[in-house]
C-alpha cells in the first residue's frame, strides 16, 4: 500500500552509537536507512566529553543535515531519531532526540513507540511541579528519571523510571557517561544491537546496520536495559519479560524488505504470506500485480504459488515529493493522476489479481481498483496479505479510532462492494502467523495481533488515547 | 542498472500542448512523468497571444517550478523539456526550451536527440554572421530557420531547416501561430501524439499522457512535420522516411515500464527479453534477482521462464538524492554503502542469478557482484537482457567513446572475469529483436542496433562527436 | 560603532499584544522594528482560545516568518522575541518565546535581560527534580512559577517567582487567560506599554509602537507586574521599586534613534552628548565624521556645537549580510575592505574628528583610525560620546570579562596610542548624565553606570557570570 | 529619496578586471560595492585560457554567489554586472554578462546605459538573419561585431560596431585575448579605470575600487575604446568625442556618496547642492531633516549654510527586504508603517525643512510630508536639491514617460499643494551646475540636463523608447 495515500504511519525510528569517531556521520547514514519510519523530522545528538551537540529539524534526513553542519556534531557517541508526526505533535520542539540540560550532567532521549499511561504520569508529574515543553510522551521518561530519589545510582533511577511506563517503547538514552537502550516488556517495537568494529550500535531496523557495514548481534530483549560505556556493555532488566508481542504490522507493512526482525527477513516473510494467501484462495486470473512498494514481495509470492504471471500492473511515480505542486480539483477531475499509474497494456482485457498488504480506510483500495478497471482490467480480485484491521493501535501506529477502519463492523462482502472489487480475500490470522514463522512457542508466536483482534497485550488505561489525540494546548 | 551509478544517460524528454487553458500545469505533470529522461534541468515556455513566458532552471521539475510561479506561465499553448547534461553542457543558458525573440514574432524550441552535423552547420552559420549563446545543437535549428529566404512561408522555412539536419531529433517548436513537431527521418527517438479533450499533446513517452489523462493517438512518423494551430492539425513531411531505426536502448533501459513505444509496452518487452534469455541459457541456481529499477521486468521474465524463484535480493535506497552527504573515503572503506543494499537473508548461501539490462563500463556490475558475494551468495551468475555494448552512440545517449565500454575488444569470458561473476550471458541480438517484437518487416525490425554492432543508420561525419565533447569555449 | 565589528551586543527585544485579531502580524512588524536588538533568532507565540501556536527559528524576523506560515499563528494575543545569542546559547532550543505545555493550561515566556542568580536558582530547582531543556535563564522563571504552592492563585505564583529573581529582566508572559508583563525592581531594561485601538501592546522600545501605529502610554515601572486580560489592565507589584537604574548603554548605543526611553528621545540624547563633548574638549580640526550607524547623532551634535563641518567621512556597506562571502586572508591583505569605507575626497589632507559612541576592545577603533589615515587624513582625533568602559555587564549586555575591555587598567593616553589616534577624549560621566537629562533626582539620575564605574545596582553573586559563559553541557 | 518607494532606477553597474589570479573574487567585491546600481540580477564571467565560465542569477550579489561556487569561476580575467530590470526585461536570460559562444572564440559583454537606436539596429540585423535570445540592447552589439566583415581585425570590428550605436553606453567586453572597455561619445554614464597591483580594473563607480584596494587612474573618455591584454593597455577611439554630457542624476541620486565622478566626490557635491539651495531660499524653521539615504548629504549642507540644526527626523528601516511580508491593506490603514519612520520627539511642534534629492511622481513626497505632520510637525518645507524633472530619460534611467512626472505641466505651487507641503523649493539648474562644479568649460559644464530641460545630447529616434517598453514578445 502506498504510504503517501493513507493514514497508516509508523511513528519513528531510532539509532544510537557508542565509541566511534565518526559517530555523527554514521548516525546520519543509519537514520537515512530508517527514513521510511518517519519523514517529518530528524535529529542527532552527539556527546563530546560532557558537552552535548544537537542538530534537529523538520524534514528528511538529508534536508535537516545539509551542507557541512554535520561536522559541528563532534564526539564519538550519538543518538538520533527520524520522526513521523501527527497534527498535534508537529513543531520543531517535538523533534527528537530531546535534550535535558543539567548542572550535574545532561541527558538526551529518543523514542519509538507509545506510552499508554503517559497522560496519567504527566498529570502526576505536573502535580509535583514538573513543567513540559513538548507534547511528547518521551519527555515523561526524563522527568521520571530526574524525580527518582537522588540516593539511587543513575542506572537505578533509569530502571525505576522505565518500570513505571506501560505500552510500547524502544528508547535510546545518551548520558554523559553512557548509552542506554531499553525495550518494553512485550518487545512491541523492533530494536537491534550490533557492532561496527569496536563500536556498539543500536537501531530500530537491521537495514541501518547494513548501510554502515555493521554486524547484527541480537535483538534487544523485552524488559531489558542495556548500558554501554567505555568499560563495555552490560545487560540489566527493569522488568520481567511479559509475553513477547512484536507488532505484526512491522512484518506486514512498516519495516524495509531488507531488514530482519528477530532473525526473520521481512521480504521473505511477506513473500511467504503471499504464497500462503494463494493457498487459502483460488482465483482464476491472468495476471498478478502488487501495489508498490510494500506489497511487491507478497505479490511475487502469490504469483509463484498460484502460477499466475507476476506483472508490473501499477507504477509508482518516483519523483513525487512534498514540494510537488498538487493538481487543482479541476485538473484532477480531468484525469491528472499522481503517485500511481496503471500500465494499460499489462492490464487491458485481463483478469487482475491485485495484491495489497492491508486495507485501512478503503479509499485508496477503491481508487486503485478503479484505476485498473479504467485501464481495461475485466476483473479485479483484491487479495490482502494480512487479516482485516478492526481495532485501533495504542502502541505507536497511527490508526487511531475504530470508525476510520473500513473492516470494523463490516462483512468482507460489504468491503468488497465498497471498494468495487470482483472478489476480496484477506489472509487468515493463522496463515499470517505461520507464514511469518517466528520461532516462539508463546501465544500468537510472539506477535501482537491487537489491531486484528482487539486483544491488547498490555493494560489499556481508561484514558488511553494516542498522545496526539489528547489535545494538550 | 542503476542510473546513478554509471554513465549511460538519456539526454532529454520533450513535451508540448496546444489549446488547453491549463497548458503550463499540464506541461508540469507531463514533464514530471518524463523526469527519468533528464534530472539536471527543466523548462516550460508558454504562449499567451504573441507573448512568450519562460521559466527554466537547473534541477528537478518540482525544484524548478516550486511555489506559485507556474501561475505566471499564462497562455493555452506550451512546450517543455527535461534535460540531462554533460560537463560541457551545464549552465542555465543550456536549459531548454530555447527562446528566440524577434520583432516579427518569437520562436521557442525544445529538442531530444543529437544532430551529428551540428558542428559543420554551426561553422557554416558563424561564417555567415550567426552568433551562438549556448553549446546546444538545438540553437542551430533556430538559426537555420531564420537564415532561410524570407520569401518562403514559415512552414517551408522550417522544413528547409529540418532537411539540413542529420542524426536523431525529436523537436517541439512553438511559434506565435502554432505548435510544430518533427521527427528525424529514421525515427531514432520516441515521440508520440495524443489528445486531451480538444487539445493536442505531444510527448517523448506515453507515460506523460497517462499522468494527464490524455489519449494516445499515434507515433510521430519518421521525416514527418506536424503543424498544429487553431485550425487543427496538419501532417507534412520535410524528408522521405528512411529505414526506421528506433533506439534499442529505449526498450532496454531508458523508457519507463509503463510507456509504450510504437504500440509495444516497455515492461512487457523487457519481461519477454528476460524470458528469451532464460531460453538462451541454462543456469542451475536458487534465486533470481534484478538490479533495480530498470532490470526488474527482465528478472521477473527470467524467473517465470526458468522456474527459479524471483526474490528482492537487492534493495535500492529511495531517499538518496543530490543533496545527500557522501560518505568520506574512510567511511566508505569501513563499509558505508549507499544506493543499493543486498538482502543478506535472501542471498546468503544461495546461487544467485543477477539480471541486469546492460553493462557499460563494468564497474557497477563488479560492485554489485561483490556486494552479493559479501552477503553470502555462493555463486553469482550475471545475465544481461541485451547484447554487449561495443560502439558509441551518436544519437543522444551519453556513451561516447569506445574506450569506456567494457565489451569493446574483450571476450565474454574476459568481461566475466573482470566483474567477478561465476558466469556471464548476454541476450543475442536476434533474441532481443524477437522478444521486443516490433511489427516492422524492415531491417532489424526497425530498431537501431548501432551501439551493439557499430552499424549506424545515418551518415557519420568525420567530425562527428557528441556536442558536449567538442569543447566550444 | 559598528555592531558587526565587535563584541558589544544587546541580548534581546520583546513584544506582546492582547486583544487584536491581527496579533501575529502586528507582532511580526513589532519584532521587525526591534530587529537591531537581536538578529540570531526570532519567535512568536499566539494564543487561540486555550491553544498555543508557535513559530520560532534562527535568523532574522523576515527569514523566520517567510511565506504564508504567519497565517498559521491564529489567535488575538501574542508574545514574541528577537534574540542575540552567544556561542553557548545557540541552537533552536534556546530561541524564545519558550512554551511550557501542561494538562491544566499552557504558559509562554519571553525575556530581555539577565538574571544574576540564575545558576543558584537552577541548582536549587534541579535538586527538587526540575529538568531543563535550554541554557536559558528564562526557563528558571517557568519552573519557579510551577513549583509555587498550588493553593496560590496564578498571579500570586508569578509574583512569588519574580520576587526570587535578581538582576535585569523585562518579561512578557502569555498564559491561557492573560498577558503578564514584568520589569525588574531597578528597571534596568526598557519596557513600554502602549495601546493600539482597544488592544494593549508592550515592547522593549517605542519604535515598535511607531511602526504599528500604536500610542505610547507609559514605561512599565520597576518592580511592577501588569496583568492584562479580557477584563482590562491591572497593575500590581511583585517587589518594592529599588533605585531606578536604566542601562546607560541603551541611550549610548543599543536603542534605535527614533525610540524614546522614559520619555527621552534617543537621537536627541545622543546629539546632546555630542554637543556636551564638544564643550568638554577643544579640537582644531577640519571635518567631523561619525562611525555609522550609532554615532551619527553624536557626531552631528559635536559638529553643531564645535562649528566644525559634519561630513560623511565613513560609509557603511549596506548589503553585507551573514551570507556574504568573506575575503580570503590574502585578499584582505591586498586591501579588500568590507563593511566600512572611508571617503577619500572628504578626509584627504584633513584633520578629522572621528566621533564614536564607545570603545570596547579597541581593535575596531584602531582599524577605523587606520582607514582614515590611509585615505589621507593628516590627523585623526577620536572623541567618544560616553565614558570609558571598565567593568563587565551582568544585566544582559555581552561585554563579559574585564580583560577584553581596552579601558580597564589603561590610561587614556595608552589607549590613544594603541588605537593610533592623534588625540582621544571620552565624555565625562557627569556630562553624559546631564546630556541625557533623565528627570530623576535619584542617584545617577536613575541610570546604571556599572560598566563605567564597576558599581552594580543589584547584588552580584559569587557565581555571577553570564549564562552563556557558565558552560552547561 | 527612498529608492524602494518610487520608480527612479539606475539600470546597471559594470565591472572588469584583467590579470589577477583572484579575478572572480575581486569581481564579487566590486559588484557588491556597485549593488545600489541594480538589485535584481548579477553575473560574473571569467576567462580561463580560451574557456569562459559563467555564473548568473536573479537577486543580490550575495544571493547569486552563495556558497563555494565562486571558486568554479577560474581564470585571471573577468567581467561582471549588477542589474536593475523592468517588467519586460525580467528573466534569467536577460541577466548579464551575455556570453556568445563560437567555434573561433567566445565573447562576453556587460553593459550600462541605453542604446537609443537599438530597435532600428535589431530590425536591420533580423532582416539579415540574426536571431535574438534576449530583450536586451546589449545583444545588438555582439551581432554587430559578428556581422562586420571577416577581413577586419577584431579591434576594428568592435570599433565599427560601436560606431553604429547611438545613446548612452559603458561597455566591458571580454574576448579570448583581451578586455575591451568603451564609453559612448558623450560619456553619459560613469566609467573609471584603475589598477590593482599589476592588474587593470574598470568599474562604473570608484567605490568599487575602494573596496578592493585599487587605485583610481582616470575616467574612460567619451568615444574611447580601451584594449587591455597581456601586452598592456592601449587607448583607441571608435568615435570623435561629442560634447561631454555626464548624467546629472548620477550626482544627484544614483552614485554612492563615497564615489567620485570625474574627480568630484558625490557626497561633497550633494552637500554643496544643499548649501547652494540654502542660499537660494530663506526659510524660517526649527530643524532640517533629510530623506534617507540619498538626501542626507544635501540636508547636512542645507543645515550648515542656513544655521538651522540638522536632525534625524526620519529613520529608515534597515531590515526591510524583498522577502518581507507586506502588511495587509487593513493593517496599513490601521497605521502599520514600513521602511520610513518619523521621529516624533524630533519633529513634534517643530517647523521642519525636509530635504530631498528629487521628486518623481510626488506620491512618496506626499506620504513623507504627511508622516511628518502626523508626528506633530507644525510646518513642512520641502526643499529639493535638484531642478524639477520634466522629461523622460532615454539613457538608462527608468523614468520613462512624461505623464508620470509630477513636474511636467505643473507649476511649483500646484506640486506643493499636491504633496501637502507648506512651501516647496527646487534648486536652480545653474545652482546645481555650480555646486557640482565640474571643470568643463563646455555646455552645461559637461552635464546632461535632458530630464530637467528636455534637451537631449544625442539624436532621438522617432522610435526611441525604453527597450523595456517596446514589447518584444
Amino acid at each position: 500500500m502506498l504510504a503517501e495515500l493513507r493514514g497508516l504511519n509508523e511513528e519513528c525510528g531510532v539509532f544510537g552509537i557508542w565509541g566511534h569517531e565518526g559517530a555523527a556521520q554514521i548516525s546520519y547514514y543509519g537514520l537515512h536507512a530508517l527514513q521510511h519510519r518517519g519523514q517529518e523530522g530528524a535529529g542527532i545528538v552527539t556527546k563530546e566529553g560532557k558537552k552535548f551537540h544537537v542538530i534537529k529539524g523538520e524534514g528528511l534526513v538529508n534536508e535537516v543535515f545539509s551542507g557541512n553542519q554535520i561536522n559541528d556534531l563532534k564526539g564519538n557517541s550519538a543518538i538520533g531519531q527520524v520522526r513521523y508526526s501527527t497534527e498535534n505533535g508537529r513543531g520543531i520542539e517535538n523533534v527528537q532526540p530531546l535534550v535535558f540540560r543539567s548542572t550535574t550532567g545532561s541527558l538526551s532521549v529518543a523514542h519509538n513507540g507509545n506510552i499508554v499511561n503517559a497522560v496519567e504520569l504527566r498529570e502526576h508529574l505536573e502535580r509535583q511541579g514538573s513543567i513540559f515543553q513538548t507534547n511528547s510522551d518521551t519527555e515523561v521518561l526524563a522527568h521520571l528519571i530526574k524525580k527518582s530519589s537522588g540516593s539511587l545510582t543513575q542506572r537505578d533511577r533509569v530502571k525505576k523510571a522505565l518500570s513505571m511506563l506501560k505500552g510500547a517503547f524502544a528508547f535510546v538514552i545518551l548520558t554523559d557517561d553512557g548509552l542506554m537502550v531499553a525495550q518494553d516488556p512485550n518487545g512491541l517495537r523492533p530494536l537491534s544491537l550490533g557492532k561496527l568494529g569496536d563500536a556498539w550500535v543500536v537501531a530500530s531496523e537491521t537495514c541501518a546496520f547494513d548501510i554502515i557495514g555493521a554486524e547484527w548481534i541480537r535483538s534487544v530483549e523485552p524488559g531489558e536495559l542495556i548500558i554501554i560505556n567505555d568499560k563495555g556493555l552490560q545487560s540489566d532488566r527493569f522488568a520481567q519479560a511479559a509475553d513477547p508481542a512484536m507488532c505484526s504490522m512491522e512484518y506486514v507493512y512498516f519495516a524495509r524488505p531488507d531488514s530482519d526482525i528477530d532473525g526473520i527477513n521481512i521480504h521473505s516473510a511477506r513473500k511467504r504470506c503471499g504464497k500462503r494467501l494463494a493457498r487459502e484462495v483460488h482465483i482464476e486470473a491472468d495476471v498478478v500485480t502488487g501495489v508498490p512498494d510494500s506489497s511487491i514481495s507478497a505479490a511475487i509470492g502469490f504469483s509463484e504459488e498460484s502460477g499466475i504471471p507476476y506483472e508490473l500492473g501499477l507504477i509508482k511515480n518516483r519523483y513525487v515529493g512534498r514540494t510537488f505542486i498538487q493538481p487543482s480539483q479541476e485538473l484532477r477531475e480531468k484525469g491528472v493522476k499522481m503517485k500511481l499509474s496503471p500500465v494499460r497494456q499489462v492490464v487491458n482485457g485481463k483478469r487482475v489479481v491485485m495484491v495489497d498488504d492491508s486495507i485501512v480506510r478503503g479509499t485508496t483500495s477503491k481508487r486503485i481498483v478503479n484505476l485498473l478497471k479504467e485501464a481495461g482490467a475485466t476483473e479485479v480480485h483484491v487479495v490482502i496479505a494480512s487479516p482485516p484491521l478492526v481495532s485501533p493501535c495504542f502502541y505507536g501506529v497511527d490508526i487511531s479510532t475504530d470508525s476510520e477502519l473500513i473492516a470494523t463492523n463490516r462483512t468482507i462482502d460489504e468491503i468488497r462492494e465498497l471498494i468495487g472489487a470482483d472478489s476480496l480475500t484477506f489472509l487468515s490470522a493463522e496463515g499470517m502467523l505461520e507464514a511469518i514463522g517466528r520461532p516462539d512457542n508463546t501465544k500468537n508466536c510472539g506477535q501482537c495481533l491487537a489491531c486484528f483482534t482487539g486483544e491488547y497485550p498490555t493494560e489499556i488505561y481508561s484514558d488511553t488515547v494516542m498522545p496526539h489525540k489528547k489535545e494538550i494546548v
Side-chain angles (χ1 to χ4, degrees), chain A:
Chain A
M1 183 172 281
L2 281 172
E4 295 88 341
L5 291 178
R6 61 161 188 186
L8 185 58
N9 289 291
E10 179 69 54
E11 294 203 344
C12 309
V14 294
F15 186 85
I17 183 164
W18 182 269
H20 191 294
E21 57 189 17
Q25 281 81 1
I26 293 289
S27 299
Y28 173 84
Y29 299 115
L31 291 180
H32 178 73
L34 300 174
Q35 184 77 80
H36 61 290
R37 297 181 73 87
Q39 287 104 48
E40 305 191 6
I44 296 175
V45 170
T46 59
K47 191 184 83 67
E48 181 192 20
K50 297 269 173 199
K51 197 162 182 63
F52 280 47
H53 303 286
V54 193
I55 296 179
K56 303 198 278 192
E58 297 180 270
L60 296 177
V61 171
N62 68 339
E63 294 168 339
V64 173
F65 301 94
S66 56
N68 297 317
Q69 53 182 175
I70 201 160
N71 300 326
D72 298 341
L73 292 175
K74 293 188 169 58
N76 59 12
S77 303
I79 62 173
Q81 199 216 41
V82 287
R83 173 178 178 74
Y84 161 78
S85 60
T86 52
E87 187 57 40
N88 196 54
R90 290 233 173 93
I92 183 69
E93 68 273 18
N94 281 316
V95 177
Q96 300 194 3
L98 300 182
V99 180
F100 304 93
R101 309 280 185 177
S102 159
T103 49
T104 58
S106 294
L107 185 79
S108 182
V109 184
H111 174 216
N112 178 26
N114 189 45
I115 296 168
V116 296
N117 62 339
V119 172
E120 285 76 8
L121 290 171
R122 188 164 176 148
E123 284 166 350
H124 169 72
L125 286 160
E126 287 183 3
R127 278 190 299 270
Q128 292 185 281
S130 289
I131 55 176
F132 289 78
Q133 295 189 41
T134 74
N135 297 331
S136 153
D137 52 358
T138 309
E139 198 176 353
V140 168
L141 178 67
H143 282 277
L144 289 174
I145 294 171
K146 186 73 194 178
K147 285 284 189 277
S148 300
S149 157
S151 65
L152 296 177
T153 63
Q154 188 177 54
R155 182 197 291 196
D156 286 339
R157 290 210 313 275
V158 171
K159 284 165 66 178
K160 187 175 167 195
L162 288 166
S163 71
M164 297 174 74
L165 305 179
K166 305 293 176 198
F169 48 88
F171 276 109
V172 289
I173 305 169
L174 191 64
T175 72
D176 55 5
D177 61 2
L179 173 67
M180 299 195 201
V181 184
Q183 169 70 294
D184 69 70
N186 298 97
L188 278 150
R189 294 273 144 236
L191 192 57
S192 282
L193 182 71
K195 287 218 83 172
L196 176 60
D198 293 333
W200 289 99
V201 288
V202 60
S204 289
E205 288 186 34
T206 62
C207 63
F209 294 169
D210 293 333
I211 203 174
I212 59 171
E215 181 193 2
W216 180 77
I217 302 295
R218 63 171 174 89
S219 296
V220 179
E221 289 175 23
E224 185 180 15
L225 172 67
I226 292 175
I227 302 105
I228 300 165
N229 56 32
D230 290 341
K231 293 178 214 140
L233 178 150
Q234 284 181 286
S235 172
D236 200 343
R237 314 210 123 258
F238 63 88
Q240 287 291 95
D243 269 358
M246 171 57 61
C247 170
S248 292
M249 290 305 288
E250 293 279 354
Y251 289 105
V252 168
Y253 171 66
F254 293 129
R256 249 174 58 165
D258 53 335
S259 285
D260 303 335
I261 295 180
D262 294 336
I264 295 171
N265 174 250
I266 298 300
H267 158 69
S268 304
R270 287 179 189 163
K271 189 173 169 188
R272 288 191 301 269
C273 287
K275 287 183 150 198
R276 168 76 185 219
L277 193 47
R279 289 196 296 274
E280 293 190 1
V281 65
H282 174 77
I283 296 170
E284 293 287 331
D286 303 307
V287 298
V288 170
T289 194
V291 180
D293 293 332
S294 54
S295 308
I296 298 301
S297 300
I300 292 167
F302 191 96
S303 163
E304 199 172 305
E305 185 73 19
S306 67
I308 306 170
Y310 172 66
E311 302 285 352
L312 298 188
L314 292 162
I315 294 285
K316 189 179 160 187
N317 229 324
R318 276 196 292 167
Y319 298 95
V320 176
R322 280 166 311 153
T323 60
F324 204 75
I325 297 169
Q326 293 305 310
S328 64
Q329 180 57 26
E330 197 193 338
L331 285 179
R332 219 162 15 228
E333 278 162 19
K334 281 186 177 159
V336 170
K337 279 175 265 308
M338 308 298 295
K339 293 173 184 163
L340 209 55
S341 306
V343 184
R344 186 171 300 272
Q345 285 221 359
V346 165
V347 300
N348 190 18
K350 302 284 172 52
R351 295 168 301 173
V352 176
V353 176
M354 166 188 143
V355 182
D356 207 348
D357 49 70
S358 55
I359 299 185
V360 184
R361 292 187 297 257
T363 44
T364 303
S365 303
K366 184 178 175 178
R367 244 152 91 188
I368 301 173
V369 169
N370 194 39
L371 277 181
L372 291 169
K373 293 220 162 176
E374 282 182 352
T378 56
E379 295 174 16
V380 177
H381 299 274
V382 175
V383 301
I384 302 296
S386 63
L389 290 167
V390 296
S391 293
C393 177
F394 300 126
Y395 304 125
V397 178
D398 182 28
I399 29 166
S400 36
T401 61
D402 313 35
S403 62
E404 290 173 2
L405 298 169
I406 195 175
T408 310
N409 303 322
R410 281 201 188 79
T411 66
I412 302 295
D413 199 57
E414 286 168 348
I415 304 168
R416 183 201 59 71
E417 195 165 331
L418 276 171
I419 66 173
D422 292 281
S423 76
L424 171 62
T425 312
F426 287 91
L427 181 59
S428 66
E430 308 74 56
M432 180 184 71
L433 292 175
E434 280 181 38
I436 291 174
R438 284 172 62 98
D440 312 67
N441 297 323
T442 55
K443 190 184 161 200
N444 299 331
C445 309
Q447 283 183 227
C448 174
L449 298 181
C451 55
F452 305 126
T453 64
E455 291 171 34
Y456 295 91
T458 73
E459 298 161 77
I460 296 299
Y461 284 63
S462 57
D463 287 347
T464 294
V465 287
M466 298 300 287
H468 51 273
K469 292 292 167 176
K470 167 81 174 194
E471 208 155 306
I472 297 166
V473 286

